[in-house]
Amino acid sequence: MRKICAALLAALLLCGCGKAAKTPMEESTVPTETVPAWTAAPDGDPNDVTCKGSYTGQGNEQTVIAVVGDRTLTNAQLAAWYWAAAAQYRQSGECDDLDYDVPLDVQSCGVDDTVASWQQYFLRQALNAWHTAAALNEQSLNVPLGTEEAYQPADYLYEEYMDGMPATKYLYGYDPYYSPNSMHQAYLDGLDDTLNTLAQGKGCADAAALARQAFGTDTQSLTQMAEELNRAYMYFTQLTYDLTQEETEEEISGEYYVNFRHILLKTEGTSAEEALTAFQEKAAARTKSLTGQEKQRESVFADLAHWYSEDTASAVDGGSYLRVLKDQLPEEIGEWCFAPERQPGDTTQIVSGDGVHILYFSGKEAVSQVEQAEIAQQDAQLALIREAKEAYPMEVTYSDIVLPEAEALVSSDELLYPDIAHERFPEIPLYLQQDYPTTMYGGWPIRTNGCGITSMAMVASYLADELLTPPEMCRRYGNYSHRNGTDGMIYFKESPAMGFYLIEQTYEPTTAWRGLEDGHVVISVQHKGYWTSGGHYIVIQEITEDGNVRVRDSNIYNYRRVSNHALDEHTWTSITSAGSGFWIFDDKITRLPACSRCGDPEEASGGLVEDYYCRKCAPAQLRRGNYLESLR
């Protein structure tokens, strides 16, 4: 018997995740605890976790114990959900009376009087978590995503021009149902590697050892659980993007946040006057095509901050700081921002030991209003989950449930997609002018005169990472429309207002090619030739492996007329032979150095605030927290 026990202990330690062996001194001095004899009495209720007093034991791991729509849950899969729920509670530190070294079915639950044991408590959470994920995933496959009323594609045109084209993978509304974007899909495809990395961080040899020790199940069941958990979260993320809130203008009283933009001009080796003069010369050259009134716009300040500010913590985002409290700022800057008379559009210059600070005041928000808005957003997000679960109810056979013993090492939070780059559009979406037959662009129909604004919509959706469809862009920027199409100044003047920036406008194809080589997106205006019989704007996304270019073309009729659309790549000659102008845009902003979540404030010089969350991480944190809450 001793030889058998020694062999089992050695095998456990070799596979990783085993508990450290006690020294002889520890064995002699630490008293042996007696496992309580108490076990919850079963009440036989077939519709509740109290059906059985204990679920620990031997049973068929492949027995289906729950159903939601077309999805089923086996005992082996339930084990992963169960121990993830236990680990989530353990990591929260909510209960000091729970001993995870003692079987959970023999410990009375003191936080929920509708269950007897902690095992029943976590089982209910596990089933609820699976129901949440299963219902969301079922809904994603059966309920179409919403589109705006102006989106009215013609089926016969799609059948003739778009079916079979590679670009339909990115075509807005072509597939009415949800599918993960490429970034999300890459995460799902890499779950095996993710679990292996997580296992090693927990002291396990690999994912198989982690599945056995931390969840009492097999690798396949753990991977299935992680995929279901994450795909549902990704779909939930998609749904939350389209939640809107009513904007209220109330008088601000009490504590409030300020929003402002910041340009830092460092004065190392120079004076403040010299630094300011050099900046003013650059600014004058950058804005020479703008009117005096246009130069006063916040978007112009953002553009100058993006290109010339030495506050590397915020320059990439146009020097923007949102929802900042007074005690987060240096004293002199805080005094100016929080002065009672401060109004949107106010600017100032402040000289400090760091250099010259040029500030633009964007506005203020009451802390109470922000909190109320977050509560409303939380309610709306949880309502999405509740409605999905009501539409797809869960059926459970409690009498067939069997749970293994394991260790609560890995929580649901640790298995969930980190959602740091928070990209809605990892690639440029494709919009077609003809999908909006009733939309007007200024005084002309978008279907005939809207290639320029539709190209802007594609680039804006990608670079701003918001759903900025052609009708929305027409509503905002109809004044750039004329009989021959679009005034190209829109690409310089309006990009900063949406959070992305034009590097330069050029007539030199070699300059545009270098921009593509550097990974930048380019818009090109084409004259009569390969692309058009008149004039036409196109978006050039990237250089392909074959040395050609990939294009987003807003004209549906080109997808049969331009034969290379079937390959989704075109020669550079086809672009330059009739191209007369190119607009090169700077990189997409996916991380903000100043942000405590997605950036690295310690390595970013000039940052003004601490414990700062950027405009994308703040809602991402709220969304993630709401999803995890729904799993309980």
Side-chain angles (χ1 to χ4, degrees), residues 217-248:
T217 191
D218 57 271
T219 313
Q220 181 180 5
S221 297
L222 175 58
T223 304
Q224 288 174 337
M225 177 268 187
E227 182 174 2
E228 191 94 343
L229 174 79
N230 280 286
R231 189 186 183 282
Y233 176 63
M234 293 163 182
Y235 172 61
F236 174 63
T237 298
Q238 175 71 35
L239 295 180
T240 63
Y241 284 142
D242 297 324
L243 288 176
T244 58
Q245 292 178 274
E246 292 185 9
E247 294 186 5
T248 58

Side-chain angles (χ1 to χ4, degrees), residues 40 49-50 52-53 55 115-124:
V49 293
T50 57
K52 296 164 69 172
Y55 289 90
V115 296
S117 67
W118 281 105
Q119 184 183 68
Q120 292 177 352
Y121 180 74
F122 293 132
L123 174 58
R124 178 177 288 168

Side-chain angles (χ1 to χ4, degrees), residues 556-625:
I556 194 172
Y557 299 111
N558 275 347
Y559 283 86
R560 289 299 180 198
R561 193 183 68 78
V562 178
S563 58
N564 272 28
H565 269 315
L567 304 175
D568 200 24
E569 57 180 89
H570 308 266
T571 66
W572 185 237
T573 302
S574 74
I575 304 292
T576 59
S577 59
S580 65
F582 302 89
W583 289 263
I584 307 169
F585 294 90
D586 203 7
D587 294 337
K588 180 176 184 175
I589 302 168
T590 58
R591 294 172 182 260
L592 184 63
C595 181
S596 299
R597 183 170 181 262
C598 70
D600 191 350
E602 292 184 1
E603 294 186 3
S605 63
L608 298 179
V609 300
E610 297 180 356
D611 300 324
Y612 177 73
Y613 286 91
C614 70
R615 55 191 167 90
K616 290 188 176 181
C617 278
Q621 282 283 75
L622 179 66
R623 176 175 61 239
R624 185 184 180 88

Side-chain angles (χ1 to χ4, degrees), residues 429-462:
L430 172 61
Y431 300 127
L432 298 174
Q433 297 164 246
Q434 292 79 11
D435 286 345
Y436 304 93
T438 63
T439 298
M440 297 297 290
Y441 175 39
W444 290 270
I446 192 175
R447 68 179 184 275
T448 58
N449 286 55
C451 58
I453 196 68
T454 305
S455 294
M456 182 62 154
M458 289 190 255
V459 171
S461 292
Y462 169 64

